Amino acid sequence: MTVRVFATAAIAVAAVMGSTALLQAQQAGMRSVWDGVYSAAQADRGKTLFGQNCAKCHGETLAGMDEIPPLSGSHFMADWETQSVADLVQRIHNTMPMDNPGALSAASCTDVVAYLLSQNQIPAGTTDLPTDASMQSQLRIDPVKP
């Protein structure tokens, strides 16, 4: 009986370690949003789009309103921790604006994400955030600079 318990525990530990190693290997090929993945000009375009499409629910300051969640600050960053930029762009594209989901193009959603990154004190780089989902999937959202 003790051998069986030990063997089961050893298998569980190996599975957890294997899962952790796999996650680390997947993330090793990823870049962080803290690597300057969007341009200031792109964030400016995103600010305009945000004002036209998102501010009515999320607020001009991105603080959220009533049951609408904030899009800046530690809570927002924690919600998206270790997910990819592609995940955030896709979420916006598929679900926003609430009264017309899917109305924004992938390029517009990408510009909005650039604005969100800027408002979360993530520094701009020299090139635009790519609109290609496979490239966006290689960009990890980290709540703090790694």
Side-chain angles (χ1 to χ4, degrees):
M1 176 99 166
T2 304
V3 172
R4 186 181 307 163
V5 171
F6 178 74
T8 303
I11 290 169
V13 169
V16 168
M17 291 177 68
S19 296
T20 301
L22 178 61
L23 179 61
Q24 288 172 342
Q26 289 173 337
Q27 290 182 345
M30 296 182 80
R31 292 176 44 214
S32 172
V33 291
W34 291 88
D35 294 336
V37 298
Y38 70 93
S39 70
Q42 185 178 33
D44 287 343
R45 292 191 308 268
K47 180 178 181 177
T48 300
L49 289 163
F50 183 89
Q52 295 167 346
N53 298 283
C54 314
K56 63 186 171 201
C57 294
H58 290 281
E60 290 290 331
T61 64
L62 288 78
M65 296 189 297
D66 299 323
E67 295 178 16
I68 307 296
L71 299 177
S72 66
S74 60
H75 180 72
F76 172 77
M77 293 302 287
D79 283 348
W80 289 96
E81 181 174 3
T82 71
Q83 294 187 63
S84 74
V85 167
D87 295 329
L88 181 53
V89 169
Q90 193 66 34
R91 173 79 174 272
I92 292 169
H93 180 69
N94 290 340
T95 64
M96 297 294 140
M98 284 180 60
D99 59 354
N100 194 11
L104 296 174
S105 68
S108 293
C109 292
T110 300
D111 288 351
V112 169
V113 167
Y115 175 64
L116 298 180
L117 294 175
S118 74
Q119 294 304 294
N120 281 282
Q121 280 63 59
I122 296 171
T126 57
T127 60
D128 280 0
L129 188 60
T131 57
D132 179 73
S134 65
M135 293 178 73
Q136 291 174 348
S137 68
Q138 295 303 307
L139 302 172
R140 181 184 65 247
I141 300 172
D142 293 313
V144 295
K145 188 173 183 173

